[in-house]
């Protein structure tokens, strides 16, 4: 009688159970190590963004340490200026909250009386609504204060660690490449280094393209709101442009807030509809012209993958997880597309329309309205 083979494969249910256990352990580890991983992930994304600037400065014979320092200072200055502009608008907006509340209560009374006279509907009295709202605010106020006190130290810690990590990532980037080269076996080195280079290029292009799209959409939103005479146009326009990374839902939220404010401030439904129409027009330009022109087909995430990524990122790491979710999903798609045997997962995360349209065409075939327009004006090759 022969003994059982030691290398006999496990049954399918056992393999599935082990994979599920590994996934659970991975999620628990990511949740427990958030204080360590979040600064590293943010630093890695910022490092991807600063690599072209650092390389350009190094090409001008600037020492690496000085080029990295100047790049970090440039990024910090841009972020500080953006935060200051939005924060100043937000502070001005909050100072008028009492006035907005009075106008909202007045219009609520008008709506309540109109519905009671015409349809016999009795909405709750404004005193009941105010009492319930104040009670809820008091209950949540202590929780918000306690959470704010506990998170302030962690935020300061992250802000202090991220620049250090960014500097190390950029300064030792060649060292990391040598580590990857030495880590893999000789027969796979060229393939692995090609995959690493592709991940770096595509991720860098995607992040730069995403930031460019957000800035252009913010400029269009702010210009449209200023033309419509909406107060706090900078705050509403910048806030809505950041929300464009959330497909469909972001545009709805970004348009609803300024529309409600315009309705409360002016009492004109037509002006509120004009605000919504402006956001719809900007969304049309972003989806059909701006994003295809800037990002093209480098990395295209379908709306379902983006929404699920945002939900999972929020459940895992809260607001920082939601901010990191879209870039991480894009990086996962790049890794899946470049890894043998994982192409199906990359296809699952990709844009469905782009895959269907581009399934049977060559890489030079234009896609979308912008591609067709460029093709129409392209000079023929001699």
């Amino acid at each position: 009688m022969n003994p059982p083979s030691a290398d006999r494969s496990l049954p399918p249910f056992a393999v599935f159970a082990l994979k599920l256990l590994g996934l659970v352990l991975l999620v628990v580890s990511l949740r427990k190590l958030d204080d360590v991983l979040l600064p590293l992930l943010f630093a890695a994304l910022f490092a991807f963004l600063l690599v072209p600037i650092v390389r350009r400065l190094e090409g001008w014979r600037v020492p690496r340490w000085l080029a990295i320092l100047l790049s970090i200072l440039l990024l910090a200055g841009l972020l500080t200026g953006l935060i200051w502009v939005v924060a100043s608008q937000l502070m001005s907006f909050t100072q008028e909250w009492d006035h907005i509340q009075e106008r909202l209560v007045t219009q609520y009374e008008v709506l309540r009386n109109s519905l009671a006279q015409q349809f016999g509907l009795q909405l709750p009295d404004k005193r009941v609504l105010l009492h319930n709202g104040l009670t809820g605010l008091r209950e949540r106020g202590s929780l918000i204060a306690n959470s704010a006190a506990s998170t302030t130290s962690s935020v300061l810690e992250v802000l202090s660690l991220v620049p250090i990590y960014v500097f190390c990532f950029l300064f030792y980037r060649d060292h990391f490449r040598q580590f990857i080269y030495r880590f893999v076996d000789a027969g796979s080195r060229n393939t692995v280094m090609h995959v690493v280079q592709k991940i770096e290029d595509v991720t860098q292009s995607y992040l730069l393209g995403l930031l460019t799209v957000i800035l252009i959409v913010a400029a269009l939103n702010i210009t449209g709101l200023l033309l419509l005479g909406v107060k706090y146009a900078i705050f509403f326009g910048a806030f809505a442009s950041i929300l464009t990374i959330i497909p469909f839902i972001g545009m709805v939220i970004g348009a609803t807030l300024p529309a409600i404010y315009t309705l409360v401030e002016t009492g004109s439904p037509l002006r509120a509809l004009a605000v919504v129409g402006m956001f719809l027009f900007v969304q049309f330009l972003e989806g059909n012209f701006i994003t295809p022109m800037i990002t093209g087909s480098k990395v295209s995430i379908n709306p379902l993958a983006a929404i699920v990524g945002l939900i999972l990122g929020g459940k895992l790491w809260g607001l920082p997880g939601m901010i990191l979710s879209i870039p991480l999903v894009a990086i996962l798609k790049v890794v899946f597309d470049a890894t043998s045997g994982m192409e199906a997962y990359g296809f699952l995360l990709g844009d469905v329309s782009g895959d269907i349209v581009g399934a049977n065409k060559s890489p030079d075939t234009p896609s979308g309205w912008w591609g067709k327009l460029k093709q129409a004006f392209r000079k023929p090759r001699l």
Side-chain angles (χ1 to χ4, degrees):
M1 182 175 178
N2 296 327
S5 177
D7 58 351
R8 186 172 55 185
S9 60
L10 296 174
F13 72 88
V15 175
F16 177 77
L18 289 176
K19 290 182 179 180
L20 185 60
L21 178 60
L23 180 61
V24 171
L25 293 176
L26 176 62
V27 172
V28 172
S29 301
L30 293 176
R31 186 67 182 88
K32 293 295 184 181
L33 299 176
D34 56 347
D35 294 338
V36 179
L37 294 178
L38 287 177
L40 286 173
L41 291 175
F42 276 109
L45 293 180
F46 288 142
F48 275 122
L49 291 175
L50 295 179
V51 163
I53 302 176
V54 173
R55 287 175 176 168
R56 178 61 60 88
L57 293 176
E58 290 177 354
W60 294 342
R61 303 301 177 87
V62 178
R64 173 168 292 190
W65 67 269
L66 182 58
I68 298 173
L69 184 61
L70 292 175
S71 302
I72 294 176
L73 292 176
L74 175 63
L75 179 62
L78 292 176
L79 292 177
T80 302
L82 178 62
I83 293 174
W84 180 80
V85 171
V86 176
S88 61
Q89 290 274 304
L90 181 59
M91 293 297 295
S92 301
F93 178 74
T94 55
Q95 290 176 0
E96 292 193 9
W97 178 248
D98 293 335
H99 172 68
I100 296 172
Q101 184 178 359
E102 293 176 0
R103 295 293 301 269
L104 186 61
V105 170
T106 302
Q107 295 191 14
Y108 175 78
E109 282 296 312
V110 173
L111 177 63
R112 179 173 178 269
N113 295 331
S114 177
L115 292 177
Q117 294 175 2
Q118 297 182 10
F119 303 101
L121 297 177
Q122 294 294 332
L123 296 179
D125 187 75
K126 64 180 182 180
R127 298 182 183 87
V128 177
L129 292 178
L130 290 176
H131 179 268
N132 294 335
L134 292 175
T135 303
L137 287 176
R138 291 191 189 99
E139 293 176 353
R140 291 190 296 268
S142 59
L143 297 177
I144 294 174
N146 294 332
S147 62
S150 62
T151 55
T152 300
S153 59
S154 61
V155 171
L156 293 177
E157 182 181 357
V158 169
L159 292 178
S160 61
L161 288 177
V162 168
I164 299 175
Y165 289 152
V166 172
F167 186 91
C168 293
F169 283 151
L170 293 173
F171 190 82
Y172 294 107
R173 63 182 188 271
D174 297 332
H175 190 71
F176 294 146
R177 287 182 175 273
Q178 287 294 326
F179 164 75
I180 297 174
Y181 185 81
R182 296 169 184 270
F183 183 77
V184 299
D185 55 83
S188 305
R189 285 175 179 173
N190 293 332
T191 303
V192 172
M193 296 307 297
H194 175 72
V195 171
V196 172
Q197 184 62 44
K198 183 179 179 181
I199 292 173
E200 178 182 346
D201 294 340
V202 176
T203 305
Q204 183 184 110
S205 300
Y206 174 77
L207 293 175
L208 291 174
L210 182 63
L211 290 179
T212 305
V213 169
I214 290 175
L215 292 177
I216 294 175
V217 172
L220 293 176
N221 289 337
I222 293 172
T223 303
L225 292 175
L226 288 175
L227 292 176
L228 293 175
V230 179
K231 295 179 65 176
Y232 310 109
I234 297 178
F235 168 70
F236 286 130
F239 180 71
S241 66
I242 296 174
L243 292 178
T244 55
I245 63 176
I246 308 175
F248 309 124
I249 301 176
M251 187 273 294
V252 173
I253 298 175
T256 301
L257 294 179
I260 293 177
Y261 175 77
T262 303
L263 179 62
V264 172
E265 183 69 20
T266 63
S268 173
L270 292 179
R271 294 191 63 178
L273 289 176
V275 171
V276 175
M278 186 276 299
F279 277 102
L280 289 175
F281 179 69
V282 173
Q283 180 69 21
F284 171 79
L285 293 179
E286 183 270 330
N288 293 278
F289 294 98
I290 299 174
T291 298
M293 178 181 64
I294 295 175
T295 61
S297 59
K298 294 169 184 174
V299 178
S300 184
I301 305 299
N302 66 70
L304 178 60
I307 294 174
V308 173
L310 286 167
I311 295 174
L312 293 179
K315 289 293 184 180
L316 184 62
W317 290 327
L319 180 60
M322 297 182 68
I323 298 174
L324 290 169
S325 60
I326 301 298
L328 289 179
V329 171
I331 293 174
L332 282 178
K333 185 186 185 316
V334 174
V335 173
F336 291 156
D337 290 338
T339 305
S340 177
M342 304 291 289
E343 296 87 353
Y345 297 101
F347 174 82
L348 182 63
L349 297 177
D351 191 5
V352 178
S353 60
D355 293 328
I356 295 175
V357 174
N360 298 317
K361 67 182 181 180
S362 63
D364 296 332
T365 305
S367 60
W369 294 5
W370 179 254
K372 295 178 181 179
L373 184 64
K374 290 194 295 183
Q375 182 71 12
F377 288 95
R378 182 179 297 173
K379 295 182 179 180
R381 297 180 180 178
L382 300 178

